[in-house]
Amino acid sequence: IDNERLIGFATLPEQVHRKSVKKGFDFTLMAIGESGLGKSTLINSLFLGDFYQTRKQPSVNEMLKRTTSIQKHVTEIEERGVKLRLTVVDTPGFGDAINNEDSWKTSVEYIDEQFQQYFHAESGLNRRHIQDSRIHCCLYFVPPYGHGLRPLDIEVLRNLQNRVNVIPIIAKSDTLTPTEVKKMKERVLEDLRKNQIQIYQFPECDEEEDEDFKRQDKELKASIPFAVASSETLIDVAGRKVRGRQYPWGIVEVENPSHSDFAKLRTMLIQSHMHDLKETTQDLHYENFRAKAIARISNGTSRERNKLKRDSSADSPQEMLQQKEAEIKRMQQMISKMEAKLKAAGQPKSMRDSVIDL
Ligand code: GDP
């Protein structure tokens, strides 16, 4: 091919790629569950860091009066020139003290606030440097010692399901036998089903993918809720240093797939599903929030319009009325566009309903 005659757009994908590599990737993860379930140990093991270096262990007195406060830990990881800016949002007091059954509300409010901020920034004038702090994934920690989900878990999950991609985790799975893990998983799934709680839906695997990928995808889907054991201690196992938990009767190797689902969770978060989690946050959860926010604004404006109409005998300016009309029309168009987009994306019916049913 004659080089002179090429316009040069063939390098576009490369440019986009280079640009995003330079900018880096952002990912925000939230961990919810009562303290002591191993949230920080898991996050540190997942990302091989120490997010919680500065964390002080609260005293008993502090624990008792502690309210839920949100903590944000940010770290930048670089691997082969690709930057990942990882933010972990932790809700330390959840379920700790007596009478703080409502403490999870802080987390739900936090998720909404990030949406609200983004919505505000997106409709503002300077849209080029939007700070995006929306939560892409919420790891929900279920204690290993119960019998499935507790009423509190159900209440919290019900409030999270339409706001964020929820991935349920059975914490400290090394305290259960393989049979108990299996039973616990079945119970959690059954409780989710009975209570019609939607967790993160893994996308369908492409038919064209190779067999290895298909098998991995199937295994991943079959492992939910992930039963995870984690540890920050390195142990010597036959000359290899592995993360593990040493017991008098043996070693639980964190990354060994026959010991825990830790490796599966990490693969899915970092390698296979990070992009989909971000896309679902944008296309499903954020659009849902946005549609409701627009409907609220448009309700407000139509009330104002009616008021103006009522007052029209007085000297209310005709121009103002026309402006409001145009604004409402624009918003209605935006809502129809969104509905069409959701339909095209083949969202589950329940989602379409919840958007239309504003
Ligand atoms: P957080 O309050 O939820 O962040 O919990 P931590 O990560 O601070 O862990 C609380 C305690 O549980 C610590 O003593 C950890 O060593 C221990 N722990 C963490 N993960 C596991 C696990 O997977 N299995 C077991 N048996 N213990 C764990």
Side-chain angles (χ1 to χ4, degrees), residues 111 115 135-138 160-166 198 285:
I111 298 172
F115 279 152
I135 311 283
H136 301 120
C137 174
C138 169
L160 288 172
Q161 61 177 346
N162 290 323
R163 292 182 158 90
V164 68
N165 295 314
V166 176
Q198 279 267 349
H285 300 300

Side-chain angles (χ1 to χ4, degrees), residues 33-42 52 55 57 90 92 141 171-175 228-232 245 247:
E34 58 204 61
S35 67
L37 282 183
K39 295 191 295 298
S40 36
T41 310
L42 175 67
Y52 297 88
R55 189 172 72 156
Q57 203 57 37
D90 191 9
F141 286 66
K172 299 188 175 181
S173 69
D174 55 310
T175 59
V228 168
S230 50
S231 164
E232 294 183 73
R245 308 193 74 86
Y247 289 106

Side-chain angles (χ1 to χ4, degrees), residues 21 24-25 27 43-44 46-51 74-88 270 274:
V21 166
F25 295 89
F27 192 72
I43 304 266
N44 281 338
L46 278 174
F47 301 103
L48 305 172
D50 192 353
F51 286 92
V74 186
T75 188
E76 239 177 63
I77 313 170
E78 195 169 332
E79 220 171 75
R80 289 197 218 125
V82 180
K83 273 192 224 142
L84 171 68
R85 199 169 23 257
L86 179 76
T87 309
V88 176
I270 301 174
M274 186 176 270

Side-chain angles (χ1 to χ4, degrees), residues 6 22 105 108 148 184 202 236 273 281 287 352:
L6 286 177
K22 206 171 129 215
K105 283 187 182 154
V108 168
M184 184 69 175
F202 281 74
D236 210 310
H273 289 77
T281 303
E287 284 304 325
R352 286 211 301 274

Side-chain angles (χ1 to χ4, degrees), residues 23 30 32 43-44 93 102-103 151 181 184 261 291 312 315 348:
K23 259 180 44 197
M30 183 182 241
I32 299 193
I43 304 266
N44 281 338
D102 285 348
S103 58
V181 166
M184 184 69 175
D261 294 330
S312 62
D315 53 0

